Amino acid sequence: MNFMLPLKKLNRLSYMALCSVVFFVATSVLYFILSKLVDKVVGSSFGSAYHWMHPYSFIMVFAVFFMITMLVLGRNKKIVHKNIFYFIFYIFWIVLSLVFCGLLWSFYDMNAGYFPQGYELLKKIFSDMFYGLTWGGLAILGAIPFNLLVFAVSFFIIKNYRAYINNNS
């Protein structure tokens, strides 16, 4: 019995999962290589740096939302011009990823000992999600050349996924 599926027999969901895994592996390898070349790959010296201590979990958040964004927007035929599709895809993907990276940041913060009680817990979680959106965006902008390389990897994967969807519709 052959347990390996040829790529042409993958369904849409399996292909999205494969694209997400390829994205995670490629960006993790890029991060590993760049972290050996430079001191800090992502962000600056503001505050505690959970994204430096646990970079692969934050990359995983981006990979999961990469797959979710492909699921939501991948078959959208109403977006006629492909450049508009890429713009919407990146905005949707980055905003969702940053919000949930803020949530992950909040969990790491609580694991480190700052665990408020009652209403303050929800207030902290939601404020950290907002901070993930604002400060996380600044960390991404400051992560040159990593952000440009991740953009190139994601663009290549999205382009291949769109071709897969158009050929198998």
Side-chain angles (χ1 to χ4, degrees):
M1 178 172 252
N2 186 4
F3 291 104
M4 297 299 292
L5 292 174
L7 287 180
K8 61 185 175 184
K9 289 194 176 191
L10 287 176
N11 63 14
R12 181 174 170 236
L13 189 60
S14 299
Y15 198 79
M16 279 187 310
L18 178 66
C19 289
S20 182
V21 168
V22 167
F23 174 79
F24 176 73
V25 170
T27 54
S28 296
V29 167
L30 282 173
Y31 185 89
F32 179 77
I33 290 170
L34 286 175
S35 69
K36 298 300 177 194
L37 297 176
V38 294
D39 185 32
K40 301 288 185 216
V41 176
V42 177
S44 62
S45 57
F46 297 127
S48 53
Y50 299 122
H51 61 285
W52 292 333
M53 294 184 292
H54 311 284
Y56 301 106
S57 59
F58 287 93
I59 293 172
M60 178 58 81
V61 170
F62 275 88
V64 166
F65 282 99
F66 188 72
M67 184 176 76
I68 291 171
T69 306
M70 283 194 298
L71 177 67
V72 171
L73 297 177
R75 286 199 117 169
N76 195 345
K77 300 285 185 180
K78 293 178 184 174
I79 302 173
V80 177
H81 200 268
K82 65 181 177 181
N83 292 336
I84 295 172
F85 167 78
Y86 289 118
F87 177 76
I88 292 171
F89 185 94
Y90 279 109
I91 294 296
F92 188 72
W93 172 46
I94 290 172
V95 166
L96 279 176
S97 298
L98 287 176
V99 167
F100 280 90
C101 279
L103 180 65
L104 182 61
W105 184 282
S106 185
F107 288 138
Y108 279 131
D109 209 18
M110 287 186 269
N111 190 34
Y114 181 64
F115 199 89
Q117 300 298 317
Y119 172 72
E120 292 296 318
L121 174 65
L122 291 176
K123 185 177 169 185
K124 178 191 176 0
I125 289 173
F126 286 114
S127 67
D128 283 345
M129 289 172 80
F130 175 74
Y131 292 147
L133 184 60
T134 55
W135 290 104
L138 292 174
I140 288 174
L141 289 175
I144 295 173
F146 181 67
N147 57 1
L148 299 175
L149 295 171
V150 169
F151 175 76
V153 167
S154 65
F155 184 80
F156 176 75
I157 293 172
I158 296 167
K159 186 176 177 184
N160 285 330
Y161 177 71
R162 290 283 290 178
Y164 173 81
I165 290 298
N166 290 336
N167 291 338
N168 294 323
S169 294

